[in-house]
Each structure stands twice: as structure tokens, then as C-alpha cells.
Amino acid sequence: MLDAIPTANLIAGQPHASGSRTLRATNPATREQLPEHFTEATSADVDAAVEHAHKAWLRFRKTSGQQRAALLRGIADEIEALGEQLIDRAVAESGLPAGRITGERGRTCGQLRAFADLVEEGSWVDATIDKALPDRQPAPRADLRKMLIAMGPVAVFTASNFPLAFSTAGGDTSAALAAGCPVIVKAHPSHLGTNALVAGAIQRAVEKVNLPAGIFSSIQGGNTVGVRLVQHPKLAAVGFTGSYAGGTALMKMAAARPVPIPVYAEMGSVNPVFVLSRKLAADGPGVAAMLAGSVCLGAGQFCTNPGLIFVERSDAATAFIGAVREAFAEQASSTMLNEDIVEAYRQNVGRAGKSKGVELDYQAAASQPKWSGEPTMAITDGKTFLANPKLQDEVFGPYTLLVECADAAQMQAIAEQLHGQLTATVIGTDVELVAASLLCETLTHRVGRLLFNGVPTGVEVCPAMHHGGPFPAASSPMYTSVGVDAIQRFVRPICYQNAPESLLPSELRTGNPLGIWRRVNGGMVRG
Ligand code: NAP
């Protein structure tokens, strides 16, 4: 028999259910509420979670890489041990197919283990030593030693569209725990049961490695809970994945605190794709099928969804547009994550369709009784696009706007006006890609990831990935929320000057007891 899903807030290993208000999750495929009533956190619960986290941090920040690696691997093991109950619950709460959720579980556990390997090896702290030069003229140099250290308790706002990989034990949580920062998760109201199961797995892993329970809490509730969390004086940073409105609201709130803290928000992006003329003429149907598949994947609910496609007007472009239309007609409508998202999708598509100079060129019939997102392609010309910045707004769902540019100069002018993006893609033959160096150079300064001859959906989890970009794609262009470099969001440098050896952390001690890579007097050494 399956264990019942806990409905209380989990604060430092203890259930807290004193609040009078409750939340329920809804199955978007059936539009039925799921049975559990999840108790909203009270203000006292939020405060308790942060206080416990802060107290736990005093010990957690001193743990070794091996201890934190054991914790992260333990969390992955506990998540896998949840078996089909987790898969079934995440499917019921998201409307996503079981295969997708199973893949997401693999990605989540893979991320946790990748962070475990990183902190076990240890060189990520970027230890840098410039030894004293007592005889230097005209003034001696002091002994200076620098490394990265954990910032403190981190609040994680989980994403609706990745109930596992960007949620309770997702990239933000694993990065923060790897760094030595306790985590307080604000559960997404769409997948409260999935959150409760994963939170329980994290709690069991914390107990097994004998770390303080306060390093992890999970709280439920609406905006007031999130606001109190971000405003708590002992919170050190925020990780967020979601809307532009949500991300910027949290950024403003964090900046207005007496002591401002960083918010690492990954927000909307429309991921422009530029299809160059020769490629379009050579393989229009192939490119059209690839793009339509990417736009409609997972009901278009990816931050890397290609929401803008640019072509240069020509006969081949007209044929290509026909091929895109046909490729869209082959895409199925699928269930969207929740009622708000499906409503926002319909409103945004309606607004786009009413914009001057924009036409809804293809829209799948709305025939299904569920909350499905109908694949939609709109079309406009380059002049209209340049005149209306609102056409750059994200339409979260299986939608793209195809823009016919008058010529290459107009395409270039558009690239120069693009808002900050997670990605941009250029599709062309080898020869025309080389010739498009100015376009590519322009895009380089608009995005976090520039792709060639592919689609932006499908974000590899590896050290070379950068999933972020200039505002408004992300709050800071410096940081990634995917891959092990995501740890850098939750640490800060500390420099010790002339510190006694016994007061230095192991990473900076003479003799390098941990055997990590360090930059000593300008050169990388391990000895
Ligand atoms: P969201 O509305 O931004 O909410 C994400 C989380 O932030 C939720 O826990 C939400 O709590 C909280 N939040 C939002 N605004 C807040 C505020 N002013 N104060 C305190 N907490 C706040 O995102 P979503 O629910 O995941 O999806 C809605 C839209 O976000 C989509 O339609 C899409 O446009 C966009 N989206 C983008 C991405 C991406 O990766 N870029 C991913 C998913 C969604 P409450 O729910 O309690 O308000």
C-alpha cells in the first residue's frame, strides 16, 4: 500500500499544520481537485523555517564536501525509492505524460549526483593564494588567500513546468545544498503532492547523514507566504523560475529590504530563430517540421520554446511558411499545466491575433474538453515587428510568431532590437552561417546560449551549459540555473589576509591537505 501524502508544511523535519487555510492541487487532465488539503504556512511557520535554516547553517557551512556529497546522493536515492508513487502523482498534478516525468526524475537525480561529484572533488571553491612578498619594494605584499563560501539560507520558488527538475529537489535546491546553504522551498501550488513526496525524501536523506534538520524546509501557500519569506532578515538569497511578473516582483522586494539580497530569477524568453534563405530553400520542410515539433513539445511550456521565427521574404520563404503551417497541423494539442496557464495562453494568443498587422495563420481546433493548448502560428512582417515591442512578449504555450523580413538589413535591425533572451538560434547552410557573422555577433550580446542548426528546447545538464541570459530572460546575465556552475549563485568570495594557519579553512591551508586545484601565485597547481 502507498504511504499517504503528507499535507503539513515540513519545517526542520517536523510537520506544521496549525494554519487554518488549505490548498488543493488539481488534475489538469480531468479538471478534478485531488483529495488532499494542504495546510498553508502561517507567518510563524515561515519565520520558524528561516530561523531553523539560519541555525543549521552555522554547522552546515562547515561540513566537508564528502558530507554534502553523501547528502545529495542520499536525496537522489530517496527520490528513486519513491518509485511509481512519485511518477503517478506528478503526472496527475501536471498533465505531463509519464515518460516525460520519468525522464525528469532521471534529470533531477543526475543533477544531484553531479553536484555531489563537484563538491566531493572540491576545486569548485576557486581557492586562490598570493603568498606574502615581505621583501617587495617599495612595499611588501601581505599573504592573501581567497575562496568561495556559502551565503546562508536560500528560498527556492519552484517552477510550474518542471515539477521535479526545477522544483523541490531541482537545480536551485541541489546547487544551494551543495554550496552549504540551507533551503526553504516555497511549493508551487500546482504540484503540492509531488512537492510533499520529494520533501519527505529530502528529510529522510538529511536524517540518514546526520545533518541538522533545519537545512531543509518546505512551506505551502500563496503570495503572502512568499513575500514573508523573501523579507525575512535571515534569508540570504532567492532562486526562482517562473514568470516575468513573479520574478521582477521578488527582485523589487529583495532590493527594498534593509539589507538587500540577490534574487536569481529565470524568467520568460521567446528564443528567436533566424532561418537563412539558402537553408530554407534547400530543406524548408525539414526545418519546418523540426521547428513545429520544438514549439509544440510539452504543450510549448518550456522557457526555451522558440516563440519567434524570422525569415527573409522570397518565394522559398512563402513555401516554407506553408510547410510550417502543415507541420503545425500535424502537432497534437496537449493538456497545459493549470487553469491559470491555459487561460493566460488563450488570452495572449487572442491579444497577439488582434495586434495590428498580425494574423493568426494556423490555429488547431479547440475540440477537447480538457485544458489543452492548441498549436498556433501567427504571422507578421518585419516592419510591424519593429514598430511593436509587445510582439516580443512571451506567449507561454505552443505558439510562435513567424516574421517575414523585407531583407537581410531588416533582419539585422530586428536582431539589434531584441530583448535579452535565454537563447537564439541561427539555421543556415555552412556557407551562409559564415556570411552571417554580423547577425551572430549581434545575437551573442542578446542571449545566454547561441545555437546553430538545432532547436533550443532540450537543455543539456553539463558544466558547459549556460541557462540564463541578459534581463529580462534572467535577473543577472552572469549566472546559469542549469549545470554545476549554478552553485556560484549561492556563494560569495572571502579573502583572508595574513591569517594564522589554524584559522584558515582546509581549502586554503599551506600544503593543500584536500589536494584540490588552486591558483597559487598565478599558476594552477594541485600540490
Ligand atoms: P509564477 O506565476 O511566476 O509563479 C512562480 C512562483 O512564484 C509561485 O510559487 C508563485 O506563488 C510565486 N510568485 C509569483 N509572483 C509572486 C509575487 N508577486 N509574490 C510572491 N510570490 C510570487 O509562474 P508559474 O506559476 O510557474 O507560471 C505562470 C507563468 O510563468 C506562465 O504562464 C509563464 O508565462 C511563465 N513561466 C515561465 C517559465 C520560465 O522558465 N521562464 C517557467 C514557468 C512559467 P503563487 O502561485 O502562490 O502566486
Side-chain angles (χ1 to χ4, degrees), residues 157-161 186-189 221-223 226-227 240-243 246 249-250 253 266-268 303 341 344 394 396:
F157 286 76
T158 60
S160 56
N161 56 341
K186 171 10 185 112
H188 197 282
N223 276 7
V227 171
F240 170 92
T241 307
S243 65
L250 297 184
M253 230 176 273
E266 193 247 281
M267 302 176 283
C303 44
I341 284 181
E394 182 184 46
F396 193 69

Side-chain angles (χ1 to χ4, degrees), residues 234-517:
K234 287 187 177 159
L235 196 75
V238 178
F240 170 92
T241 307
S243 65
Y244 173 80
T248 50
L250 297 184
M251 284 165 68
K252 280 185 194 142
M253 230 176 273
R257 290 166 39 119
V259 178
I261 55 171
V263 174
Y264 301 105
E266 193 247 281
M267 302 176 283
S269 189
V270 278
N271 307 295
V273 179
F274 293 80
V275 189
L276 305 181
S277 296
R278 285 193 198 170
K279 181 72 178 180
L280 192 148
D283 185 24
V287 174
M290 178 174 79
L291 289 176
S294 176
V295 171
C296 299
L297 188 71
Q301 300 166 121
F302 289 108
C303 44
T304 49
N305 193 44
L308 283 173
I309 301 172
F310 298 98
V311 295
E312 212 182 305
R313 185 170 296 134
S314 66
D315 290 346
T318 306
F320 173 72
I321 291 165
V324 176
R325 194 180 297 128
E326 279 171 28
F328 261 75
E330 284 170 20
Q331 307 297 319
S333 299
S334 39
T335 304
M336 298 194 81
L337 293 159
N338 61 45
E339 187 172 20
D340 288 347
I341 284 181
V342 82
E343 283 306 320
Y345 178 60
R346 289 181 181 152
Q347 274 177 25
N348 289 335
V349 168
R351 193 173 305 125
K354 284 193 194 109
S355 301
K356 194 170 162 228
V358 178
E359 188 190 323
L360 295 184
D361 185 85
Y362 174 82
Q363 193 165 27
S367 57
Q368 302 177 55
K370 53 191 179 180
W371 290 335
S372 67
E374 288 82 36
T376 304
M377 176 184 70
I379 195 158
T380 192
D381 58 75
K383 195 173 163 210
T384 305
F385 185 82
L386 279 168
N388 185 357
K390 295 296 286 173
L391 295 179
Q392 292 197 41
D393 288 354
E394 182 184 46
V395 175
F396 193 69
Y399 167 90
T400 200
L401 174 62
L402 200 147
V403 183
E404 267 192 294
C405 303
D407 50 27
Q410 193 175 59
M411 203 181 242
Q412 175 63 25
I414 285 173
E416 286 169 14
Q417 274 203 18
L418 284 173
H419 303 158
Q421 304 287 340
L422 294 173
T423 74
T425 302
V426 186
I427 296 178
T429 63
D430 291 349
V431 172
E432 64 188 344
L433 286 181
V434 173
S437 60
L438 177 62
L439 175 69
C440 297
E441 166 72 9
T442 304
L443 293 174
T444 297
H445 295 282
R446 293 282 177 280
V447 307
R449 179 165 56 112
L450 183 59
L451 298 87
F452 297 93
N453 289 333
V455 287
T457 43
V459 183
E460 185 70 33
V461 183
C462 66
M465 175 51 67
H466 185 80
H467 189 64
F471 185 86
S475 51
S476 163
M478 265 299 290
Y479 299 101
T480 179
S481 61
V482 174
V484 288
D485 281 354
I487 199 171
Q488 288 165 7
R489 296 170 301 165
F490 304 123
V491 292
R492 68 173 181 87
I494 172 75
C495 173
Y496 297 94
Q497 183 164 335
N498 286 342
E501 182 77 5
S502 63
L503 291 185
L504 283 170
S506 307
E507 287 87 345
L508 294 178
R509 286 196 181 168
T510 305
N512 194 6
L514 300 182
I516 57 174
W517 283 103

Side-chain angles (χ1 to χ4, degrees), residues 22-86:
T22 59
L23 293 167
R24 291 175 76 179
T26 301
N27 182 330
T30 61
R31 290 184 287 172
E32 282 166 9
Q33 283 195 312
L34 294 161
E36 300 82 4
H37 292 254
F38 295 89
T39 310
E40 285 196 29
T42 61
S43 299
D45 291 335
V46 177
D47 294 350
V50 187
E51 290 293 343
H52 280 294
H54 187 264
K55 199 163 162 222
W57 175 58
L58 305 179
R59 188 178 142 203
F60 191 42
R61 67 190 184 189
K62 290 189 186 149
T63 50
S64 67
Q66 284 70 19
Q67 284 173 293
R68 297 202 296 279
L71 168 70
L72 295 163
R73 292 192 185 112
I75 295 171
D77 293 345
E78 292 289 341
I79 289 173
E80 286 166 349
L82 290 167
E84 290 308 299
Q85 186 183 17
L86 178 65

